[in-house]
Amino acid sequence: ISSGHDGAIRVRDLRTGTERAQPLRSRAGAVNALAVGGVGGTPVAISGGHDGAVRVWDLRTGTTRSRRPRSQDRRVNALAAGDVNGATVAVSGGDDATVRVWDLQTGEERGRMEHARRVWTPPGQGHKINALAVGEIYGAPVVVGGDSDGVVRVWELETRHERTTLMIARDRGRRKRKSGRAFAVNALAIGTENGTPVVVSGGADGAVRFWELETGQERTDLMTTSDRESRRRKSGRAASVNALAIGMVEGTMAVVSSSKDGVVRVWGPQCGMALGALISQAGPVNALAVGIVDGTPIAVSGGADGMVRLWDLKIGTARGQLKASAHAGPVTALAIGHINGTAVAASGDDSGAISMWTLGRDQRLSAHLVAPSGVRAIACAGQMGWLTAINDRSLFNWLPASASLPALQ
């Protein structure tokens, strides 16, 4: 499934590359965020975009489940799916600095949480939600949001009460004098370290931070030596973190980050330092995913040079480099999944090319499709296919030839 700037939703066959049905054009503006989930055993897709609408799609029938889709007041930037008392909910956040909770069964808004501004931001720069993640604190569902002011908040998903506000205390003075954008939170991930729930944030200052989800205590502030020196000099040259992913290496949590300096880094929260720096991307690394292939933890990265690279997280070396001919433009989206038991990665670029790669010993291009415009996001929906948003406002679902799925309407 893919979507993009024109709001159309398309379905393509992963093996043949052909459209399986006529697309629906929702006239909704660009789709910025995608998530997948299930409602009463039915797989669904959730999309949010420039028009502020959050839409829920039935991936079996291709129709919208929400009769009256509600909206954010402004553009939606982030989405996540969670569970409250057995009911599947979606959480959205955007340019209006408000986090909303939606009932996926009815499409109605269950409530909202205001991401109040804590620091001054110059006029015109705005205050917005950039990242969301849903997790649990010892069985209680929570949602974590990161904003353009560099603030991370934790709310109880059921009551929508704020539990904790996470803020980088030593940077507050500078934020009051200068733009908060320099410290914007760009990425969030939730995991568990030694049985303790943690949240990991990546920001525009180049740091990766670990927080205890329950107490809000910052455990570690990870940053490369060059970025730390840059921040000390206030030169503004720190490499902004673009993406985060959490994996396991020999039973220990590891965090993989990508940034604008073209480096993929592996961080160990226990030792408080980078375990490795995987350098080979030319220009910013825009997309990142982690998984397991043949029992080995791997990361897949895509960047401005159009290359898709595989990394062995256990030994910190390159595992392979996928053919450059598949992507003529910068890689903008990645996802890892399985087809018939085979680990695969799907990658998309800003020219609309979408490729599927096998990730085992035989690393090869198994499918290649061309979408009408650039790819914004890809998500694996298991047996239901691969949900993909593109810049012409359309949403596709790609499936193997043996499966069947109509266009979303």
Side-chain angles (χ1 to χ4, degrees):
I1 300 174
S2 67
S3 69
H5 278 307
D6 68 354
I9 299 165
R10 294 180 171 87
V11 181
R12 287 181 180 261
D13 190 304
L14 275 179
R15 292 183 177 175
T16 66
T18 58
E19 289 191 33
R20 300 183 66 90
Q22 291 296 318
L24 170 85
R25 297 190 179 274
S26 65
R27 304 174 186 174
V31 176
N32 298 325
L34 289 171
V36 293
V39 179
T42 300
V44 298
I46 309 127
S47 64
H50 272 42
D51 67 344
V54 175
R55 293 175 172 83
V56 183
W57 311 91
D58 187 318
L59 288 180
R60 289 179 176 170
T61 66
T63 58
T64 54
R65 293 183 60 96
S66 303
R67 293 184 180 180
R68 302 188 306 274
R70 306 290 183 181
S71 14
Q72 303 274 141
D73 295 330
R74 298 169 66 186
R75 182 175 64 182
V76 176
N77 297 323
L79 282 171
D83 184 275
V84 177
N85 295 327
T88 304
V89 299
V91 184
S92 66
D95 283 2
D96 62 356
T98 301
V99 177
R100 290 173 169 84
V101 183
W102 311 89
D103 188 317
L104 294 189
Q105 184 71 42
T106 64
E108 299 294 327
E109 182 181 323
R110 294 181 62 140
R112 63 182 64 183
M113 296 86 85
E114 299 292 336
H115 223 268
R117 178 171 293 173
R118 295 291 182 89
V119 296
W120 177 81
T121 302
Q125 291 196 358
H127 174 229
K128 59 187 179 180
I129 304 295
N130 291 336
L132 288 171
V134 171
E136 291 186 351
I137 298 179
Y138 304 117
V142 296
V143 59
V144 183
D147 69 16
S148 55
D149 284 339
V151 179
V152 177
R153 289 180 172 85
V154 183
W155 294 276
E156 295 177 358
L157 192 51
E158 183 175 0
T159 65
R160 296 178 297 282
H161 292 158
E162 183 176 331
R163 289 182 61 110
T164 314
T165 297
L166 315 178
M167 194 171 184
I168 310 161
R170 57 180 165 274
D171 293 331
R172 285 177 180 166
R174 184 184 175 191
R175 262 197 294 261
K176 291 178 181 178
R177 298 190 301 271
K178 296 186 178 182
S179 166
R181 179 172 294 181
F183 299 96
V185 177
N186 297 329
L188 289 171
I190 293 177
T192 302
E193 183 193 11
N194 295 329
T196 301
V198 296
V199 60
V200 185
S201 67
D205 62 350
V208 174
R209 295 177 172 88
F210 291 80
W211 315 81
E212 288 189 8
L213 199 50
E214 182 178 19
T215 65
Q217 179 181 355
E218 183 178 347
R219 283 193 168 191
T220 315
D221 176 354
L222 303 176
M223 182 176 279
T224 64
T225 302
S226 60
D227 283 351
R228 193 175 299 280
E229 181 62 26
S230 172
R231 188 168 68 178
R232 185 179 299 114
R233 296 193 308 267
K234 301 182 180 180
S235 65
R237 297 177 182 175
S240 174
V241 176
N242 292 336
L244 288 172
I246 293 179
M248 298 296 291
V249 178
E250 296 184 332
T252 302
M253 189 182 82
V255 175
V256 185
S257 68
S258 63
S259 57
K260 288 185 177 180
D261 61 0
V263 180
V264 176
R265 294 178 174 88
V266 185
W267 307 91
Q270 289 186 333
C271 63
M273 61 183 297
L275 302 177
L278 314 174
I279 306 172
S280 63
Q281 307 280 164
V285 180
N286 302 317
L288 189 65
V290 297
I292 302 291
V293 175
D294 299 329
T296 300
I298 64 148
V300 183
S301 65
D305 62 354
M307 298 298 297
V308 176
R309 293 177 171 86
L310 277 66
W311 309 94
D312 187 320
L313 296 182
K314 188 175 182 179
I315 59 178
T317 61
R319 183 182 174 100
Q321 179 171 287
L322 307 180
K323 295 180 180 178
S325 59
H327 292 296
V331 176
T332 52
L334 281 172
I336 293 177
H338 289 81
I339 293 182
N340 298 327
T342 300
V344 296
S347 58
D349 67 27
D350 69 351
S351 68
I354 303 173
S355 300
M356 179 159 285
W357 314 86
T358 59
L359 298 180
R361 296 182 182 277
D362 180 21
Q363 295 168 4
R364 61 184 176 84
L365 182 68
S366 60
H368 186 70
L369 313 171
V370 179
S373 63
V375 179
R376 298 180 70 87
I378 299 176
C380 178
Q383 295 182 349
M384 296 309 300
W386 298 73
L387 189 69
T388 308
I390 65 174
N391 287 336
D392 70 352
R393 306 177 186 175
S394 54
L395 187 67
F396 293 89
N397 190 41
W398 278 288
L399 285 172
S402 59
S404 176
L405 188 71
L408 301 183
Q409 300 181 22

